[in-house]
Amino acid sequence: MANTFFGLTIAGSGLTASNIAINTTAHNVSNVNTEGYTKQVASQTAADSIRVYSTYGTVGTGVKVEEINQLRSAYYDAKYWDNNCNYGEYKTLESYSSLIEGYLDEFNLDGFTVEYQNLFKALNTLANDDPGSEVARNQFLNYAASLSDYFNTLSTNLSSVQKQANDAVKSNVDSINTIASKIASLNKQINVIEMNGGSANDLRDARAVLIDELSEYVDTRTTEATLDGGMTEYRVIINNQVLVDGYDYNKLELYARATDEKRNASDIEGLYDIKWENGLYFNVYSDTMSGSLKAAIDIRDGCNDSYEVLGLKDADGNFLKMDDDGNLLKYGDAGYDNASVARTQDLTAIQYSTYISAGYSRALTVEADSYRNPSYKGIPYYQSQLNAFAQSIADAFNNIIANADGNHPHYDEKGNEIVHYDGTNNSSSTLHNLFVSAYDDDEDGYVSASSICVNKLILDNTKLLPYSYDLTQGIANNDMVKDLIALKDEKTIRNGTFDEYLRSLVSVISVDTSTAKVFSKNYDNVRATIDNQRTSVSGVDEDEEGVDLVKFQNAYNLSAKVIQVMQEIYSKLINETGV
């Protein structure tokens, strides 16, 4: 038979359980607006029954609270992290692509196009009025210089975006390391509390918030294994490699590329590569990698599965590179595309003088290669396209002007006429060219968007600018100027005019920006939907908590009523029963 006062024990357990449930509800209500907080519930089970050695066998002993659980869905967490990673990637791509689009569109609408039109208006003035007019020549040269300035400015702006993306890579890596350090610290705190029978739910919420944040930077997965003594081993995996392992974390390190390790000829100095502190390889170009870190790298390094290199170009425009024996190869030669052939950027180590004197010139080119850069069209891609644009304009104008050298009188830097311009008069060969590199004094000087400029000798002395193929037909002969004017509508670059090429370049970035905006918005909407689904499971609902308060209050009152009834029974039994 059960103890006479056993009913008080049962009622007391009900009071205790109801009180814990009310306190848990109060904790939920107080955190209704706390970011990342997960709803908690007191998990109750019936207490173990006892044998009373009577006909009815055993009796219940009340209720006990097993633990206070979090209502969290691992399924929705994983979905949220995957989607958040995609959102972080496209949000970053949208930001940088919009910046590039703005620069190119400004270049298109208010920069290059305007000056390009003005340049040909000045040529028309030369052709129709007086080809020998210094005023008309000055006007043409000033517009040509302004055109060069726009190339220089846009190249500088693109380099600025590359620097911003490189800074974003550093910022993302620093944030990842900071989050990893915090998670490792929380892992230890959680284990210390839970191994001693405590509840670390709030610390688990703090850790989950950090995982949410981390998932925007890089693709993230987690695993948690239960060990002996209530211990757990929590691991965080990014890019298929372990970032956090229990109380330890692997730190990512940045190191700047050396000048001779540039992946693209137009890259700025000091771009960061990433490796693990323990020396393991971190593949920044992994196909499975995503997140804002991936986007920053794509913008910074993306060259459409190609890379831009500096080499030598012969008189026919063929680009040259070396074989393993140091011999120059041309496109189409056996072994040119062989994997064992030295990469083109190795040409920077060649002594150029012999080839330059033989008629070769330094030039940039783009080669297909999926190894060096991401497939995304980032800054290196637009720099290479802009460089090709500047080179084509320079070549087109320079080739026409160079043809006037045979019969046209030339002048030295002091304005003295050179009767025979045959290379024996010690005059600079740069007088052949209208557009030159600003770095021609440097042995690595070559025409690019960042270096293109108008020949200073011609700017300082307009008499050095030819305008006719044959002046014996009179000073008004403008045949060369007419050929320059014809360049405006010629299919000069990639089967299109210069204007068409620019518009096609602007359309490429417009498409990429539009795509990034659409995906960013879509992933943001999906993220909100998943978060609502997750909140429906783990979030605190004020109405639901209100119902729970009433429910647990009633349960508490009923347990208290049981005690009151038992008190009356014991009073009757003790005080009013007896001899």
Side-chain angles (χ1 to χ4, degrees):
M1 166 175 187
N3 187 288
T4 304
F5 299 98
F6 187 48
L8 287 174
T9 302
I10 296 174
S13 70
L15 285 175
T16 300
S18 298
N19 186 57
I20 292 173
I22 290 173
N23 289 337
T24 303
T25 303
H27 185 53
N28 290 338
V29 171
S30 64
N31 285 281
V32 67
N33 294 316
T34 301
E35 181 184 1
Y37 179 78
T38 303
K39 177 182 172 69
Q40 299 179 12
V41 295
S43 177
Q44 300 179 7
T45 59
D48 295 334
S49 60
I50 62 171
R51 183 171 180 79
V52 293
Y53 301 100
S54 297
T55 54
Y56 46 85
T58 60
V59 295
T61 59
V63 64
K64 63 179 179 180
V65 177
E66 294 279 349
E67 58 184 341
I68 297 177
N69 293 321
Q70 290 180 304
L71 294 183
R72 195 165 192 100
S73 169
Y75 170 74
Y76 284 127
D77 279 342
K79 285 185 65 177
Y80 182 86
W81 297 335
D82 287 344
N83 188 84
N84 198 40
C85 191
N86 291 324
Y87 168 71
E89 179 175 347
Y90 282 100
K91 182 183 70 171
T92 303
L93 289 177
E94 177 190 357
S95 174
Y96 285 108
S97 296
S98 297
L99 198 57
I100 299 172
E101 182 183 26
Y103 286 137
L104 284 174
D105 209 34
E106 178 184 353
F107 185 64
N108 177 38
L109 299 176
D110 303 320
F112 173 85
T113 302
V114 173
E115 297 304 325
Y116 189 65
Q117 298 293 340
N118 288 336
L119 183 70
F120 284 97
K121 287 179 183 178
L123 284 172
N124 279 315
T125 301
L126 272 176
N128 298 328
D129 295 345
D130 180 6
S133 168
E134 286 200 30
V135 174
R137 284 159 163 261
N138 269 325
Q139 186 181 36
F140 166 71
L141 289 173
N142 287 331
Y143 282 129
S146 183
L147 192 68
S148 299
D149 289 342
Y150 274 105
F151 274 111
N152 302 158
T153 300
L154 182 54
S155 180
T156 299
N157 288 338
L158 291 179
S159 293
S160 175
V161 176
Q162 189 174 45
K163 183 181 184 306
Q164 293 176 44
N166 192 50
D167 290 342
V169 170
K170 181 180 185 302
S171 176
N172 283 354
V173 168
D174 289 344
S175 296
I176 290 170
N177 286 335
T178 299
I179 291 172
S181 173
K182 291 179 179 179
I183 291 175
S185 176
L186 284 171
N187 286 345
K188 186 173 184 179
Q189 295 177 53
I190 289 169
N191 270 342
V192 168
I193 293 173
E194 293 184 346
M195 286 173 63
N196 288 284
S199 173
N201 287 336
D202 292 338
L203 292 180
R204 286 178 171 273
D205 282 341
R207 185 172 65 185
V209 169
L210 290 173
I211 297 296
D212 285 353
E213 183 181 349
L214 178 65
S215 67
E216 190 169 324
Y217 296 122
V218 66
D219 52 293
T220 305
R221 292 187 295 111
T222 66
T223 63
E224 185 171 15
T226 302
L227 307 178
D228 294 336
M231 238 180 118
T232 58
E233 184 180 60
Y234 191 82
R235 305 175 86 197
V236 180
I237 300 167
I238 64 170
N239 200 26
N240 293 321
Q241 291 175 295
V242 176
L243 174 67
V244 179
D245 189 1
Y247 305 159
D248 301 318
Y249 71 98
N250 295 325
K251 187 176 181 181
L252 292 173
E253 286 187 337
L254 297 165
Y255 60 99
R257 296 172 187 165
T259 301
D260 60 353
E261 292 178 344
K262 285 185 176 181
R263 289 181 175 269
N264 305 282
S266 298
D267 284 348
I268 63 173
E269 299 287 342
L271 296 184
Y272 295 117
D273 279 324
I274 307 172
K275 66 179 180 180
W276 291 105
E277 186 181 37
N278 58 13
L280 290 177
Y281 175 63
F282 184 84
N283 186 7
V284 296
Y285 299 152
S286 170
D287 292 336
T288 60
M289 185 173 168
S290 55
S292 61
L293 176 60
K294 169 67 171 174
I297 291 171
D298 280 350
I299 289 291
R300 189 194 68 177
D301 295 347
C303 199
N304 195 31
D305 278 335
S306 302
Y307 68 100
E308 185 185 45
V309 290
L310 173 64
L312 295 175
K313 182 176 66 174
D314 66 11
D316 297 325
N318 295 312
F319 197 78
L320 310 178
K321 67 187 293 185
M322 288 187 355
D323 63 15
D324 292 333
D325 296 324
N327 301 313
L328 289 173
L329 296 171
K330 295 182 181 180
Y331 281 120
D333 285 350
Y336 183 88
D337 295 320
N338 191 289
S340 66
V341 174
R343 296 192 178 278
T344 312
Q345 76 275 13
D346 292 340
L347 286 171
T348 56
I350 299 174
Q351 298 298 321
Y352 283 115
S353 56
T354 302
Y355 303 109
I356 296 300
S357 62
Y360 298 123
S361 61
R362 302 172 188 89
L364 293 167
T365 193
V366 175
E367 291 197 0
D369 189 329
S370 59
Y371 162 76
R372 291 183 175 273
N373 299 301
S375 60
Y376 192 81
K377 299 182 185 71
I379 293 299
Y381 171 79
Y382 291 105
Q383 283 280 29
S384 68
Q385 300 304 302
L386 200 62
N387 288 334
F389 196 7
Q391 284 179 354
S392 295
I393 286 180
D395 289 344
F397 276 82
N398 291 342
N399 289 339
I400 290 176
I401 291 175
N403 288 330
D405 290 345
N407 299 312
H408 194 282
H410 289 270
Y411 302 85
D412 62 19
E413 291 83 348
K414 296 180 179 180
N416 299 315
E417 183 176 345
I418 302 169
V419 178
H420 299 291
Y421 193 83
D422 58 3
T424 63
N425 47 45
N426 297 322
S427 290
S428 172
S429 63
T430 57
L431 293 179
H432 283 283
N433 296 328
L434 171 65
F435 291 106
V436 297
S437 169
Y439 312 118
D440 267 342
D441 291 338
D442 184 343
E443 67 175 13
D444 286 326
Y446 53 91
V447 172
S448 65
S450 64
S451 69
I452 188 172
C453 67
V454 174
N455 194 324
K456 188 176 185 300
L457 296 174
I458 298 178
L459 278 175
D460 293 342
N461 185 358
T462 59
K463 292 180 180 180
L464 299 178
L465 176 67
Y467 55 85
S468 172
Y469 296 129
D470 187 1
L471 279 183
T472 61
Q473 299 184 25
I475 195 171
N477 182 34
N478 58 9
D479 50 356
M480 192 198 76
V481 176
K482 287 182 177 179
D483 283 350
L484 290 176
I485 293 173
L487 287 176
K488 182 179 181 182
D489 298 317
E490 281 187 9
K491 304 293 184 181
T492 314
I493 178 171
R494 300 184 185 175
N495 298 320
T497 65
F498 291 125
D499 186 55
E500 290 170 346
Y501 179 79
L502 176 59
R503 282 190 274 114
S504 70
L505 193 59
V506 172
S507 69
V508 170
I509 185 60
S510 296
V511 169
D512 286 348
T513 303
S514 177
T515 300
K517 286 181 178 178
V518 169
F519 277 98
S520 175
K521 184 177 180 180
N522 288 346
Y523 280 119
D524 192 25
N525 291 337
V526 173
R527 183 177 70 153
T529 300
I530 295 174
D531 194 40
N532 287 336
Q533 293 171 332
R534 185 167 68 164
T535 301
S536 69
V537 174
S538 62
V540 177
D541 181 86
E542 296 175 358
D543 293 335
E544 185 177 320
E545 298 304 318
V547 171
D548 284 345
L549 276 176
V550 173
K551 179 175 68 176
F552 298 137
Q553 180 189 21
N554 290 337
Y556 188 91
N557 290 338
L558 284 173
S559 294
K561 184 66 175 176
V562 170
I563 292 177
Q564 181 183 355
V565 169
M566 296 301 296
Q567 182 184 16
E568 293 175 357
I569 292 173
Y570 299 143
S571 176
K572 175 68 84 173
L573 176 66
I574 297 172
N575 295 327
E576 299 182 21
T577 303
V579 180

